[in-house]
Amino acid sequence: MKGNRFVYYVREGINSIFNHGFMSFASVCIIVACLLIMGSFTLLALNVDSIINSMESENEIMAFVDESYSTADAQSIKPGLEAIDNVSSVIFVTREQAWDDFLDTYSDPGRLGELGPETLRDRYVIYVDDISIIAATRDAVSRVDGIADTTVHLDIAKTLVKIRNIVTIASIALVAILFTISLFIMANTIKLTTFERRDEIAIMKMVGATSTFIRWPFVVQGLILGLLGSLLSFVMEWGLYTLFSDKLMAGAELSLLTVIPFSVVSIPIFIAFTVVGLGVGVIGSLLAIKNYLKV
Amino acid sequence: MVRFTDVFKSYENGTKALRGVSFEIADGEFAFLVGPSGSGKTTIIKLLTGEIAPTDGKIIVNDYDLTNIKFSKMPYMRRTLGVVFQDYRLIEDKTVFENVAFAMRVVGASSKEIRRRVPYVLELVGLDTRTRRHPQELSGGEQQRVAIARALVNNPRLIIADEPTGNLDPARSLEIMMLLQKINELGTTVLVVTHEKELVESFSKRVIAIDGGKIISDGMGGYYNYER
Ligand SMILES: Nc1ncnc2c1ncn2[C@@H]1O[C@H](COP(=O)(O)OP(=O)(O)O)[C@@H](O)[C@H]1O
Ligand SMILES: [Mg+2]
């Protein structure tokens, strides 16, 4: 009996999908479009975040020690730097090491190569935990006795944080808006079916069908459309993302940018797409049938 | 079994459709509910089927108290009723057999039960040769007999027919009434709403007459006078 009913629900649900081929197609397309936009923005946000995280570990404050300090004196201020908030690690670099690094970096230093380590200053390389407050950390570093000068790539840090915030807010807003739109389209597709079958629904109620029984075929209809939409958009997202990241990586071999491989995020994305697709399908169908079940 | 006790019904727009209606129909009875158009007959049927709720008073149908029935119990109350309308209300794209089987399927009957029961009721209403037809291929009288078969198929305790012969010629009307009488003789309670005087007069049955939302007479015999 239970199995019998299950077959009935699924058959009725599938029939409705084919009886309203165009609207079914349209609602799947809308779900695909919404999920693609949602997914792309989420992936963008994830990538910006991962770039910021990698930059955070690379982003450093360069603090130059006063020239009047001997190397031993210079080394003695290290604990003071380490005590500053947001400082994760501090590395002391002598002017000789700095000079060697300089020579390593530039295979042809030109006339600068005629100079020597004495033209450079001892310095500290300071790493921070949170890039967004690096400016305050830098100020604190400058106030330490013996620090003559500091440099930091503030602009990059600021820009990245700004981008991350914008992308995060935009993704959340887009997901909310698109979810609502998909829900609306889905509810209307199924409403079309319920409208066409309103006489049948009235007869079902008259002869004593339970609300659950009346509801299920429409829920199945929504479930199938939602699932179809989420599977299609997952495959498309996969293709688009791979295509796009390949292009980006190929075009920028030297760049520091690394794109998160799809395989790393595929399972969470798949789960999210399925949940959103099924959610839109089920909630949409329940909204569509609500008014018919009141009596 | 039906019991109305001092039932009032006002619609949202203020129309007072029923003004204190009380009557009882015992199991196994056959009763006509008669009255002019707008007197409140359909309102009584809608109250009986739970489609609308009374403004005041008490309604009991087949042991269900409709004044405080749970929403989730309503379908089970409706399974004890079979309802027939003037406009048949058949599903056009289903065959005669499927229309009747549909009523069984949606209350969870198995295919086996359906295959056994549907031919039996279709034979009872005289449609055993029409099972594969669609409603639009049938005459009005035949369509109404499909509707009666559908009302009957889940073995209800009470059959309610709201103007079942309103669209039929006198000969077909008489046939439908005879069929309902036969169903009553097989043990089902029957309540028939009509305003066709001649039809009522040709049967010697209980007649409940209503006018202006009030019962004006209730008794045996083929005569009533709603001018009174
Ligand atoms: N849904 C409704 N809303 C407002 N008034 C209604 C509604 N249904 C019926 N009525 C009014 O209630 C009265 C009784 O109607 P009804 O029970 O349909 O009468 P009958 O079936 O005897 O012709 C009429 O005056 C009718 O206009
Ligand atoms: Mg009426």
Side-chain angles (χ1 to χ4, degrees):
Chain A
M1 188 114 124
K2 275 278 170 222
N4 199 17
R5 284 197 191 186
F6 181 74
V7 170
Y8 167 85
Y9 298 145
V10 172
R11 198 183 49 221
E12 293 291 304
I14 292 173
N15 279 346
S16 306
I17 290 173
F18 286 106
N19 288 342
H20 300 285
F22 178 74
M23 276 306 278
S24 302
F25 176 73
S27 60
V28 169
C29 285
I30 291 291
I31 291 185
V32 168
C34 290
L35 279 175
L36 278 182
I37 297 172
M38 279 184 207
S40 303
F41 259 79
T42 310
L43 283 169
L44 180 64
L46 284 175
N47 272 297
V48 169
D49 210 53
S50 117
I51 291 167
I52 288 173
N53 284 338
S54 67
M55 291 254 170
E56 250 162 20
S57 57
E58 282 166 21
N59 213 302
E60 52 196 39
I61 300 170
M62 199 68 89
F64 298 100
V65 181
D66 196 303
E67 277 174 79
S68 64
Y69 277 52
S70 69
T71 300
D73 288 340
Q75 272 174 317
S76 69
I77 58 176
K78 193 178 181 187
L81 293 171
E82 282 169 340
I84 296 168
D85 265 358
N86 194 35
V87 167
S88 67
S89 66
V90 176
I91 297 168
F92 182 65
V93 180
T94 64
R95 61 184 76 178
E96 286 78 17
Q97 284 167 335
W99 180 249
D100 289 347
D101 287 348
F102 173 76
L103 291 180
D104 283 350
T105 316
Y106 299 97
S107 50
D108 179 20
R111 290 181 59 202
L112 290 173
E114 295 160 19
L115 303 169
E118 54 287 351
T119 52
L120 299 179
R121 290 178 286 191
D122 291 332
R123 78 267 323 261
Y124 281 98
V125 180
I126 300 168
Y127 296 98
V128 298
D129 289 321
D130 182 356
I131 195 170
S132 65
I133 52 171
I134 197 166
T137 313
R138 178 208 194 162
D139 289 346
V141 170
S142 320
R143 283 195 295 273
V144 172
D145 278 342
I147 297 297
D149 204 359
T150 55
T151 61
V152 67
H153 299 295
L154 261 185
D155 293 345
I156 296 178
K158 270 189 188 153
T159 312
L160 281 176
V161 169
K162 210 179 268 172
I163 291 174
R164 172 170 61 185
N165 291 344
I166 292 171
V167 170
T168 306
I169 293 169
S171 319
I172 293 172
L174 259 179
V175 167
I177 293 169
L178 292 174
F179 189 79
T180 315
I181 293 175
S182 325
L183 211 57
F184 182 77
I185 302 279
M186 177 62 84
N188 274 296
T189 301
I190 295 176
K191 235 178 219 165
L192 205 72
T193 315
T194 59
F195 182 75
E196 191 175 79
R197 304 179 72 177
R198 63 197 183 285
D199 294 341
E200 223 170 295
I201 295 172
I203 293 165
M204 288 167 95
K205 281 200 295 199
M206 185 185 78
V207 300
T210 59
S211 298
T212 319
F213 190 92
I214 298 172
R215 208 184 274 132
W216 264 108
F218 298 103
V219 174
V220 168
Q221 185 186 358
L223 269 175
I224 293 174
L225 291 177
L227 201 61
L228 214 62
S230 52
L231 292 182
L232 272 176
S233 42
F234 178 75
V235 172
M236 287 169 78
E237 185 78 73
W238 189 349
L240 282 174
Y241 186 78
T242 310
L243 201 77
F244 190 73
S245 56
D246 282 356
K247 274 247 165 68
L248 199 72
M249 298 289 266
E253 277 163 60
L254 293 174
S255 107
L256 295 167
L257 289 180
T258 48
V259 179
I260 304 174
F262 194 74
S263 56
V264 173
V265 287
S266 61
I267 290 172
I269 293 270
F270 180 79
I271 292 171
F273 275 30
T274 311
V275 168
V276 172
L278 291 182
V280 166
V282 172
I283 300 171
S285 59
L286 293 180
L287 287 176
I289 187 78
K290 199 179 65 185
N291 289 335
Y292 285 92
L293 294 177
K294 272 185 188 144
V295 180
Chain B
M1 188 272 299
V2 176
R3 184 186 296 138
F4 271 52
T5 314
D6 220 14
V7 173
F8 287 79
K9 176 64 192 180
S10 304
Y11 285 105
E12 266 101 57
N13 65 3
T15 309
K16 291 188 165 76
L18 297 183
R19 311 155 183 257
V21 169
S22 300
F23 66 92
E24 185 173 336
I25 298 169
D27 282 339
E29 253 192 291
F30 187 117
F32 284 112
L33 176 61
V34 301
S37 182
S39 56
K41 305 182 296 295
T42 297
T43 300
I44 290 180
I45 301 305
K46 285 183 175 171
L47 287 167
L48 271 173
T49 59
E51 196 180 318
I52 56 175
T55 311
D56 198 9
K58 198 172 159 89
I59 300 173
I60 293 178
V61 177
N62 292 336
D63 306 327
Y64 288 91
D65 180 353
L66 299 196
T67 13
N68 45 35
I69 187 170
K70 274 202 201 125
F71 182 75
S72 59
K73 282 274 185 297
M74 201 62 107
Y76 301 95
M77 184 283 286
R78 288 187 180 138
R79 290 178 197 186
T80 70
L81 305 177
V83 193
V84 177
F85 300 96
Q86 180 173 352
D87 55 359
Y88 325 129
R89 301 198 190 173
L90 302 175
I91 301 168
E92 293 297 326
D93 57 8
K94 290 192 195 295
T95 63
V96 166
F97 185 95
E98 287 164 351
N99 263 283
V100 178
F102 181 70
M104 286 186 80
R105 191 166 296 125
V106 301
V107 298
S110 69
S111 304
K112 198 177 148 205
E113 291 170 284
I114 290 170
R115 278 196 302 272
R116 208 190 61 225
R117 176 79 179 157
V118 176
Y120 169 77
V121 287
L122 283 175
E123 195 189 335
L124 186 71
V125 301
L127 286 176
D128 37 331
T129 61
R130 298 278 191 277
T131 57
R132 291 175 171 279
R133 300 290 180 88
H134 282 81
Q136 65 272 23
E137 301 173 278
L138 302 178
S139 71
E142 286 171 326
Q143 290 190 51
Q144 193 58 297
R145 282 191 274 160
V146 178
I148 292 172
R150 181 181 63 195
L152 211 55
V153 77
N154 286 325
N155 222 339
R157 289 171 61 184
L158 170 66
I159 294 265
I160 303 164
D162 190 358
E163 314 245 12
T165 61
N167 292 339
L168 302 178
D169 62 50
R172 298 307 132 225
S173 298
L174 199 62
E175 277 175 22
I176 291 295
M177 287 302 173
M178 308 270 269
L179 175 60
L180 288 169
Q181 192 180 19
K182 178 169 132 195
I183 289 164
N184 174 245
E185 279 160 8
L186 292 171
T188 311
T189 314
V190 176
L191 174 63
V192 181
V193 170
T194 184
H195 60 257
E196 287 167 75
K197 200 169 174 174
E198 293 75 18
L199 207 56
V200 174
E201 282 169 355
S202 54
F203 288 86
S204 187
K205 297 290 182 191
R206 177 178 170 191
V207 180
I208 304 168
I210 181 172
D211 197 2
K214 280 187 168 163
I215 299 219
I216 52 168
S217 76
D218 182 353
M220 295 300 290
Y223 177 79
Y224 76 98
N225 176 9
Y226 51 73
E227 266 78 46
R228 190 161 34 162

